[in-house]
Structures are given as structure tokens and as C-alpha cells.
């Protein structure tokens, strides 16, 4: 093998289901396609241990910090930072860089303040009282109230936004409006370029030879969008990609017969529908429950997704801290009860549910939405699906909240920290301020979520989140549909060293390509 051939073989080609958003992580809302790229370029003070395949939820480890001292009252976090870390532009990472980045997301008086970054990172930083540099490699973050998931929230990629660090010099040079795709991070790979593909813009990363944790064995990464499942599957099968995300529902058994590696394991991921609680029909809980009873989620998983998914038990996703393995969704398939509830609610037979969704980039949204429409038709009612072609555009529309006339919107999301339940269902996070896109409001739920957010003792906090979740499932402002089980990641056997943590993204730092396979 020649030197050029060896170099080509050490570039990992990754198939995604949509394009990567503009790369400015604190101000990005591109979903996990973007987060999976961001993970390789940028880092936070603490990160998930993505080499640990067993921990559920993920284990937190120091990254740009070496340690943290947390006061007994949970209000002060003194971070000791790693020495000799440099951004990809060669500038030094230190406590001033941390302060500069945090103030971009938090302090309206700072010249580098970004309203978009502040908006996207509000949930993680709204408890912050002050930021103080106490030494070149030490920074003190003081909170207004305890927030025990403060460190865990730092690990979330595209939450939206991300608590990662960008070169202050680059931000000063390019400004908030020009930093996208020009943002030097500190991670094992750095952004190189975008390139054209038949299905949209691809992203090329190259190895950071000066990475503080040692250089990657790969020379680079290439991310290519394949919005169609069949195209993504064939890209892997035909050798155009080495690794593919989102192949659940395809012929995974055939991939395994051909020697490909098909990973299994549940991650913090839920496909769900959000009801418009302002809609005069759907504001009736009987109607919402009827829709839930109309859906045979087991059949959807087995027939449409070939058993590669499992039915979701609720809105606390697998591999999140408060996830309750014993909890069962209370609305099992019962079409007769669905019809009766709709009759009791006085819903006319010509009523149609308007479903909002993206056509691509949302993890099989087309099949899930079409199945919901078919399920309603089977009980004598109908549905209309309104599609947005582009995933990133849909995310921004969805964030603004369900419009008048829209019945439900479809989303796939989840986090490995429980505050996500607050992020999507607390009344103070109603759209457009937050991500409660269906405008759900229950004062008891709000109180449980507020108490849980501040509770430092783990077991007590988990119970509070579960109590809130029980009320939410009774009210049913959302319908959880499916979670992942098999095929979220598949790859060619020449890809070596990949670890599969209980998370929606992976580290490629220790991955290498076997040129003999």
C-alpha cells in the first residue's frame, strides 16, 4: 500500500441523515447530526466518558478542567483547568477564555454577547449568578440556587446550543455573525472545509496534531448527508461510507451476514408527538387519549422498524438518570376505546388531525407520521400531514410553537440529564421562549420540576422527576412513541476501536482503520 493510499484509508467517512448546521455550537440548533460533528471539534469543562460502554447514564469525566470543587450548598463550582491546552488557531485556553465564552452565552453587557447563544443555552446557565477568574487556570462559577445537573448539562451536544469553548480571538475577529464554520475548538479534530455531495453539503475535519490528549490515529473525518434511508444503507453497503447513523428499519440482518457491525443499546432518544394544547379540540384530554389508544406502537416497531426499536415507556428516556425501567405507558392500543372517547367528546367523523413534521433529518419521521395518519383512519377519522422539507428549517419552525390549526408536531429528542423534562414541558418554557412547543401548563408539574431541579440528593431528585412524569402522562400533552434499540450505528469491520456508550454521539479519537480489511 502506498503512502497516499494509507492516508486515504485513515479517513473515516460517516453517513448522516441530514446536513450539518453551521458550526458555531453555542448558537446551533441542527440536532444530533450537528452534535455528532461538534463532539469531535469542541470540548467543555466536563464531558461524558464516551469510552465507557456500560455506564447508564454516562459517567462524567474532566475534560478542559482537571477537577472541580463543589461547595456543600451546591452554589459554588471552582474549576481547575488543564494546562497547555491550545485552540486550533494556536491561542491559549485559560480561565479568561472560559469567562469570555460563558459571558457570550449569559451576560447581555458583554461585547461578545450573542442573543441566540444565550437563548439556546438558557436552561443550563439561567441559575448562574457570577463568573470570576481566580487564577490563570482557575475559575469560580457561583449559582443563584443549587442545580445538581450543572455538570451533566455541560455534556449535552446541540441541546440546542452547547457549553463548549471557542477561541476568543476568533470570536473577536469574526464576530457572532461570522464565526460559523470559522470557530476553532480544542478537540482532537478541527474543521477543514465543506464539500458538495449529491445530497447536500458535507463536512471535512482533519486531525489536530497538537491535541492535549494525544493525536488521533485517524487523519480525518468526512460527514456526508443521505436523507433517504435506502441511500444511507447503500452507501455503507457499497463502500461509500465506513460508518452510518440511523439504519434502524433497514435490513440489518443482511448487513451482519456481510460482516458489518450492527450496534445495539438504548440511548436517551424518544420519538414523540406534541399536542397543541391551545387547539379547541385537542384541549380535551379525552381526544388526546383517544389518539394515543389508536396507535399500535408495538406493530409500528415490529412491522415498520423490523423490531429495531422498542415502544417508549414515557418521556423520561432510557439512559437518563431518573429513567424508571418499571414504568409502563398507560395507553396501550385499544381502538374501540379510542372511538368511544371521541364519541364521548362529541368529535364529528369528518374531524382531521393536522400533523406537522420534517420530511428528512428527523429519524424516520415520514414513516411515523404516516402510521399515525393510518391509525386515525382505521378508527374512522382522518389526518393531514404538513411537511417541511428541511430538518434545520423545521427545528426553527417547531421552536416557535404550534400554530393555530396545527394539531400535533413530531420530534425526536432526549437527553442524558433529567432537566430535559423541564426544558420541553415546564410552562415557563412555552414556545417561543423555550421548547414546550405545545404550550402545556400544569402548576403541579411545574412545582415538581422546580423542586427536582434544585434537589441535590440523587434518589430524592429522581423521585420528583418521576412524580412530575406521572402527572404529565395522565394529562398527556405528548405521546411518546418509540426509542432506539438496534441499528442506530452500523459500520464496516475495517473500523476499529469504536466504543458504543449510552449516548447519541461517539468519540472517534481512538478509532482507527484497518487497511487489511
Amino acid at each position: 500500500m502506498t503512502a497516499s493510499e494509507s492516508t486515504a484509508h485513515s479517513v473515516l467517512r460517516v453517513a448522516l441523515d441530514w446536513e450539518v448546521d453551521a458550526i458555531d455550537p453555542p448558537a446551533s440548533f441542527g440536532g444530533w447530526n450537528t452534535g455528532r460533528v461538534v463532539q469531535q471539534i469542541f470540548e467543555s469543562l466536563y464531558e461524558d466518558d464516551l469510552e465507557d460502554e456500560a455506564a447508564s447514564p454516562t459517567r462524567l469525566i474532566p475534560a478542559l478542567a482537571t477537577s472541580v470543587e463543589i461547595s456543600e450548598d451546591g452554589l459554588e463550582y471552582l474549576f481547575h483547568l488543564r494546562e497547555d491546552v491550545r485552540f486550533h488557531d494556536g491561542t491559549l485556553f485559560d480561565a479568561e477564555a472560559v469567562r469570555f465564552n460563558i459571558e457570550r452565552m449569559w451576560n447581555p453587557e458583554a461585547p461578545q454577547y450573542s442573543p441566540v447563544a444565550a437563548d439556546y443555552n438558557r436552561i443550563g446557565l439561567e441559575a448562574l449568578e457570577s463568573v470570576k477568574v481566580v487564577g490563570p487556570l482557575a475559575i469560580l462559577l457561583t449559582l443563584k440556587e443549587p442545580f445538581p445537573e450543572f455538570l451533566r448539562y455541560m455534556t449535552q451536544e446541540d441541546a440546542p446550543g452547547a457549553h463548549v469553548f471557542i477561541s476568543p480571538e476568533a470570536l473577536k475577529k469574526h464576530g457572532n455573525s461570522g464565526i460559523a464554520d470559522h470557530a476553532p475548538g480544542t478537540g482532537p479534530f478541527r474543521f477543514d472545509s465543506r464539500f458538495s455531495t449529491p445530497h447536500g453539503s458535507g463536512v471535512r475535519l482533519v486531525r489536530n496534531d497538537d491535541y492535549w490528549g494525544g493525536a488521533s490515529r485517524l487523519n480525518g473525518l468526512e460527514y456526508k448527508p443521505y436523507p433517504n434511508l435506502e441511500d444511507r444503507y447503500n452507501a455503507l453497503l457499497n463502500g461509500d461510507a465506513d460508518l452510518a447513523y440511523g439504519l434502524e428499519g433497514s435490513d440489518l440482518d443482511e448487513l451482519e451476514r456481510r460482516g458489518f457491525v450492527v450496534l445495539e443499546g438504548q440511548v436517551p432518544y424518544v420519538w414523540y408527538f406534541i399536542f397543541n394544547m391551545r387547539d379547541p379540540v385537542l384541549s380535551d384530554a379525552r381526544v388526546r387519549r383517544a389518539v394515543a389508544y389508536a396507535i399500535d406502537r408495538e406493530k409500528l416497531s415490529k412491522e415498520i422498524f423490523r423490531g429495531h426499536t422498542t415502544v417508549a415507556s414515557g418521556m423520561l428516556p432510557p439512559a437518563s438518570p431518573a429513567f424508571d425501567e418499571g414504568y409502563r405507558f398507560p395507553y396501550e392500543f385499544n381502538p374501540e376505546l379510542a372511538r368511544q372517547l371521541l364519541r364521548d367528546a362529541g368529535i364529528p367523523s369528518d374531524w382531521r388531525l393536522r400533523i406537522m413534521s420534517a420530511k428528512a433529518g428527523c429519524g424516520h419521521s415520514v414513516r411515523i407520521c404516516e402510521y399515525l395518519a393510518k391509525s386515525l383512519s382505521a378508527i374512522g377519522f382522518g389526518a393531514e400531514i404538513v411537511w417541511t422539507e428541511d430538518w434545520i428549517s423545521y427545528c426553527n419552525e417547531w421552536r416557535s410553537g404550534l400554530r393555530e390549526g396545527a394539531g400535533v408536531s413530531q420530534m425526536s429528542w432526549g437527553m442524558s440529564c433529567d432537566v430535559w423534562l423541564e426544558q420541553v414541558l415546564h410552562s415557563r418554557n412555552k414556545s417561543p421562549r423555550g421548547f414546550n412547543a405545545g404550550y402545556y401548563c400544569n402548576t403541579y408539574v411545574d412545582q415538581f420540576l422546580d423542586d427536582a431541579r434544585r434537589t441535590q440528593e440523587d434518589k430524592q431528585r429522581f423521585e420528583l422527576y418521576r412524580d412530575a412524569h406521572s402527572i404529565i402522562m395522565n394529562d398527556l400533552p405528548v405521546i411518546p412513541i418509540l426509542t432506539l434499540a438496534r441499528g442506530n450505528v452500523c459500520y464496516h469491520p475495517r473500523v476499529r476501536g469504536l466504543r458504543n456508550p449510552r449516548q447519541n454521539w461517539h468519540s472517534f479519537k481512538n478509532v482507527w482503520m484497518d487497511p487489511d480489511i
Side-chain angles (χ1 to χ4, degrees), residues 10 114 299:
S10 65
S114 164
K299 185 176 181 180

Side-chain angles (χ1 to χ4, degrees), residues 143-154:
L143 307 185
K144 303 170 190 173
E145 61 182 18
F147 178 29
E149 289 199 299
F150 188 47
L151 293 183
R152 185 167 289 281
Y153 199 88
M154 287 183 181

